[in-house]
Amino acid sequence: MSSDHENKNSISNSTVDAKDYLKIVPNPDGTITRLFQFPSTPTAPDPTTNLSPVLTKDVPLNPTRHTWIRIFLPSQAMQNHPTTKKLPLVVYYHGGGFILLSASSCMNHDFCSKMAAEFAAVVVSVDYRLAPEHRLPAAYEDAVEALHWMKSAEETWLREFCDVSSCFLMGTSAGGNITYHAGLRASSAVDELAPLKIRGLILHHPFFGGVRRTASEVRLANNPILPLSGSDLMWELALPIGVDRDHGYCNPKDDDKSCENFDRIRVMGWPVLVIGCDGDPLIDRQVEFVETLKKKGVAVVAQFHQGDYHGVELMELSKAKELFVLVKDFIQCNN
């Protein structure tokens, strides 16, 4: 169905100027000009000069697509090498509504660095192609390409310190959406991905949508962190041209293949951890997603808390402690 035919319940109740909120200017050729350059953090790969608990470095993924990954390695693993037991792998997909940010953006870098230290895991953050220059499913393709690259990577840090048979996919916001769709694609390529083995999916404030407005979207239409007009525009720029927000990339519940997709996760035996909060306009969709997974027999752990806002743990890293404890327990229980 074309977006021109969305029902009256799809009309945004937000009074926020979406382009100003996102700090973008659409161009006639279908690209956008990003007016705000998010601060970025350089890597620190040298253990002799980097005294932080985590070492970092960037590695090309697909030079043709200009994609790359940032690896976060706990310093202690290198200090104890070669006696250190290999660490689990957390593949992280960043947020930004599919159109903004990168793996090097400060808040994504700091979040992943903290995770690597807290979990004693190797964290690999994927810098995927952004929309609208590269509309979905480009980000999903890059997400899975990263898994294929990691399965047999000759990259020293992965080969020496990482147990790819203990892999967890994790993402925040749009990255949570990517985690779900990358998982679906990976479920059809299990043999091809060996020896990499996915043990579970972690969806942190996942970014889903739909034509029908939920109560939380209406209640928080002018939310300063994620206004309804802003999320609508991000979906407009990210989805394939000519489809509306009930497309499966946006609305997994109303996807024509939803039953088949949820069954694939159940058959794989992958547990799913979903984290959200009631200050997020997306909370109702996240709850519906969890309920549907449970009905399909998928092992789900859901943590929805009161207050806060979409992506709070990245913007206020001091609030991430409870999240890190939850995710660490999830990894340990399913490793």
Side-chain angles (χ1 to χ4, degrees):
M1 182 187 295
S2 168
S3 59
D4 292 335
H5 295 90
E6 294 177 2
N7 63 38
K8 64 181 181 180
N9 292 326
S10 72
I11 299 173
S12 173
N13 297 312
S14 177
T15 59
V16 176
D17 183 316
K19 296 185 185 69
D20 180 64
Y21 158 73
L22 294 170
K23 299 296 185 287
I24 63 170
V25 175
N27 300 317
D29 62 356
T31 64
I32 59 173
T33 299
R34 296 162 177 86
L35 301 176
F36 180 75
Q37 296 299 316
F38 289 89
S40 62
T41 303
T43 57
D46 187 350
T48 63
T49 60
N50 178 19
L51 301 180
S52 73
V54 175
L55 304 173
T56 56
K57 70 174 169 180
D58 293 339
V59 181
L61 175 58
N62 186 327
T64 302
R65 293 176 172 176
H66 305 289
T67 54
W68 48 276
I69 64 173
R70 177 162 290 193
I71 306 175
F72 299 79
L73 174 68
S75 300
Q76 189 172 10
M78 186 171 288
Q79 293 168 2
N80 296 336
H81 187 65
T83 59
T84 304
K85 179 182 176 182
K86 288 193 173 183
L87 304 175
L89 170 65
V90 177
V91 181
Y92 182 75
Y93 306 111
H94 68 79
F98 303 105
I99 69 170
L100 301 172
L101 301 175
S102 78
S104 65
S105 298
C106 288
M107 67 178 180
N108 294 328
H109 174 96
D110 293 347
F111 185 77
C112 288
S113 182
K114 187 70 172 175
M115 275 203 299
E118 292 286 335
F119 300 170
V122 176
V123 176
V124 172
S125 182
V126 181
D127 197 76
Y128 52 86
R129 288 170 292 170
L130 298 179
E133 293 82 2
H134 305 282
R135 291 176 176 266
L136 295 175
Y140 305 151
E141 294 169 354
D142 296 343
V144 176
E145 184 175 28
L147 300 179
H148 282 278
W149 181 85
M150 282 180 270
K151 73 178 182 183
S152 56
E154 291 303 311
E155 206 294 313
T156 304
W157 284 8
L158 295 185
R159 186 179 69 249
E160 295 188 3
F161 300 105
C162 183
D163 178 5
V164 295
S165 70
S166 178
C167 175
F168 294 82
L169 307 188
M170 178 178 179
T172 299
S173 191
N177 177 294
I178 294 171
T179 296
Y180 169 70
H181 286 284
L184 290 178
R185 289 168 178 250
S187 70
S188 301
V190 173
D191 293 338
E192 298 172 24
L193 286 171
L196 184 143
K197 185 174 182 179
I198 296 171
R199 300 283 185 173
L201 310 179
I202 304 166
L203 282 61
H204 176 231
H205 296 203
F207 187 47
F208 295 124
V211 171
R212 175 188 59 84
R213 298 302 189 195
T214 65
S216 61
E217 287 173 340
V218 174
R219 174 172 58 88
L220 296 167
N222 289 311
N223 180 267
I225 302 300
L226 187 62
L228 199 55
S229 59
S231 62
D232 283 356
L233 181 55
M234 287 188 283
W235 280 120
E236 182 182 329
L237 294 170
L239 287 169
I241 294 173
V243 306
D244 65 19
R245 292 190 306 276
D246 280 338
H247 189 280
Y249 295 161
C250 178
N251 189 349
K253 185 178 178 183
D254 286 357
D255 186 357
D256 291 339
K257 296 183 178 181
S258 60
C259 291
E260 176 186 336
N261 289 342
F262 292 135
D263 283 341
R264 283 161 65 184
I265 295 177
R266 176 183 56 79
V267 170
M268 294 307 302
W270 293 339
V272 180
L273 172 61
V274 181
I275 304 116
C277 63
D278 70 358
D280 184 352
L282 305 181
I283 181 67
D284 286 354
R285 295 195 182 278
Q286 296 160 359
V287 171
E288 289 176 358
F289 178 75
V290 166
E291 291 174 347
T292 304
L293 285 175
K294 288 181 177 179
K295 288 178 182 178
K296 293 297 180 179
V298 177
V300 184
V301 178
Q303 182 73 33
F304 299 113
H305 56 272
Q306 294 183 341
D308 286 326
Y309 53 86
H310 185 75
V312 59
E313 291 90 353
L314 277 87
M315 299 189 206
E316 299 183 60
L317 197 56
S318 61
K319 292 188 175 182
K321 185 174 181 59
E322 182 180 347
L323 168 67
F324 289 148
V325 170
L326 180 66
V327 175
K328 184 177 181 180
D329 288 347
F330 180 81
I331 291 174
Q332 290 178 340
C333 290
N334 296 287
N335 196 3

